Amino acid sequence: MQKILVARPIFADVIERLKQHFEVEWNNGDVLSADELARRLADKDGALTAGDPIGAATLAAAPKLRVVSNMAVGYNNFDMAAFNAANVLGTNTPDVLNESTADFGWALMMAAARRIAESEHWLRAGHWQKWSYDGFLGVDLYGSTLGVIGMGRIGQALARRARGFNMRVVYHNRSRVAPEIEAGLNATYLPKAELLREADHVVLVLPYTAENHHTIGAAELAFMKPTATLTNIARGGIVDDAALAEALREKRIAAAGLDVFEGEPNLNPALLTVPNVVLTPHIASATERTRRAMANLAADNLIAGLGEGPRAGQPPNPINPEVIGRARS
Ligand code: 8YV
């Protein structure tokens, strides 16, 4: 039987599924250090990860490893050049999380715009003595302009929600999406700086790559309206968190909603001291149904990637399909 490592706690019934095909070592505890992960992978044929960094050194220490299945759509934790050089297949879990993640992005955007977290903290702290006409005035979503940066599957799911709020949709993406998709979403392509100038609510839904590092920094924040909100449901590092904290403190933008952070789970401490930001612990895909779907899809990818089950050799979501069938190097 081939050996696999499940590097994180996941649903126990998914572990049972994997046990039908593999000898499973399960880390049902704390996040493994890089050294511990490499040590445990030394004799494994496959691994199921969730954001754990896998690079050249880890692959070199695991000569039998052929498939690493990430329980996430984003795979910036994989060094794909190293995967390709070693002929190791990487897989991810797209699509099953689109709607839950878009719902959450919408919730964060609304919470930021309407100051929900800020006013709730104030109320809990016992400050509510009387109603006041200017208490926690926010900014409207209805009839405003939504700016989506990253018009992939989740970005499109967000844009579809804008219809019910009678919003104009502008977007920026590496390349323009197909005209029929633009037409279906009633979305207009804009260069990034123009989008930032025009949008009332900017939402980031792009993958993290070296080129997307600090897509939003001090210069970009300066383009935004003082009444605008910024929501990041993509990845830490896409926003310069220090520059954002400063812009929020100085009210150069109205508010922000952040589910992902540079260096998470450690946050830039400045973010914890500004009131006009809603902070959540990377939970945009966290519904019972979606996380189960992600875990099962990650298992499907690993099972098929390692040549088991009805789809042997044809995993549903290969990131680098060109290495399938090649000998490990
Ligand atoms: C994951 C995510 O839960 O899919 C992604 O890219 O950010 C989340 O849905 C998280 O990355 C854990 O792997």
Side-chain angles (χ1 to χ4, degrees), residues 50-51 71-74 97 235 282 285 291 294:
M71 189 182 129
V73 62
L97 45 53
R235 273 291 177 276
H282 201 147
S285 67
R291 284 281 167 85
M294 291 166 70

Side-chain angles (χ1 to χ4, degrees), residues 175-212:
S175 47
R176 281 182 74 148
V177 298
E180 57 275 17
I181 297 178
E182 274 189 9
L185 297 169
N186 200 12
T188 306
Y189 177 87
L190 287 181
K192 187 171 83 176
E194 266 179 64
L195 178 145
L196 293 169
R197 282 194 192 97
E198 290 195 19
D200 296 303
H201 304 286
V202 176
V203 185
L204 304 170
V205 211
L206 63 171
Y208 182 77
T209 59
E211 135 189 311
N212 289 344

Side-chain angles (χ1 to χ4, degrees), residues 117-134:
E118 191 185 349
S119 60
E120 204 233 18
H121 292 153
W122 180 85
L123 182 153
R124 281 181 190 270
H127 296 306
W128 194 20
Q129 304 297 337
K130 60 173 175 43
W131 179 86
S132 105
Y133 78 97
D134 62 351

Side-chain angles (χ1 to χ4, degrees), residues 77-280:
N77 54 310
F78 289 175
D79 175 346
M80 287 314 298
F83 274 60
N84 291 337
N87 288 335
V88 174
L89 177 69
T91 65
N92 67 340
T93 61
D95 291 319
V96 290
L97 45 53
N98 292 350
E99 302 302 337
S100 301
T101 306
D103 277 353
F104 192 84
W106 204 267
L108 259 188
M109 173 174 66
M110 289 203 72
R114 298 305 307 272
R115 306 176 67 175
I116 288 176
E118 191 185 349
S119 60
E120 204 233 18
H121 292 153
W122 180 85
L123 182 153
R124 281 181 190 270
H127 296 306
W128 194 20
Q129 304 297 337
K130 60 173 175 43
W131 179 86
S132 105
Y133 78 97
D134 62 351
F136 293 100
L137 297 181
V139 284
D140 281 310
L141 263 84
Y142 191 86
S144 67
T145 297
L146 173 68
V148 179
I149 301 188
M151 196 51 119
R153 293 166 283 223
I154 299 171
Q156 290 175 30
L158 255 160
R160 279 195 296 277
R161 284 158 175 72
R163 223 176 289 162
F165 284 70
N166 195 29
M167 289 169 100
R168 173 176 171 237
V169 179
V170 294
Y171 78 96
H172 182 72
N173 200 47
R174 223 172 357 173
S175 47
R176 281 182 74 148
V177 298
E180 57 275 17
I181 297 178
E182 274 189 9
L185 297 169
N186 200 12
T188 306
Y189 177 87
L190 287 181
K192 187 171 83 176
E194 266 179 64
L195 178 145
L196 293 169
R197 282 194 192 97
E198 290 195 19
D200 296 303
H201 304 286
V202 176
V203 185
L204 304 170
V205 211
L206 63 171
Y208 182 77
T209 59
E211 135 189 311
N212 289 344
H213 183 70
H214 288 186
T215 292
I216 302 292
E220 289 75 18
L221 289 161
F223 290 136
M224 293 176 67
K225 303 177 187 183
T227 50
T229 72
L230 177 72
T231 297
N232 186 7
I233 52 168
R235 273 291 177 276
I238 288 176
V239 175
D240 178 343
D241 286 348
L244 176 61
E246 203 179 305
L248 287 165
R249 189 184 306 286
E250 295 174 1
K251 306 257 173 60
R252 282 188 268 120
I253 68 168
L258 305 176
D259 187 49
V260 288
F261 305 88
E262 291 187 286
E264 66 185 50
N266 302 311
L267 270 61
N268 184 319
L271 285 172
L272 296 170
T273 63
V274 281
N276 46 345
V277 60
V278 187
L279 307 167
T280 53

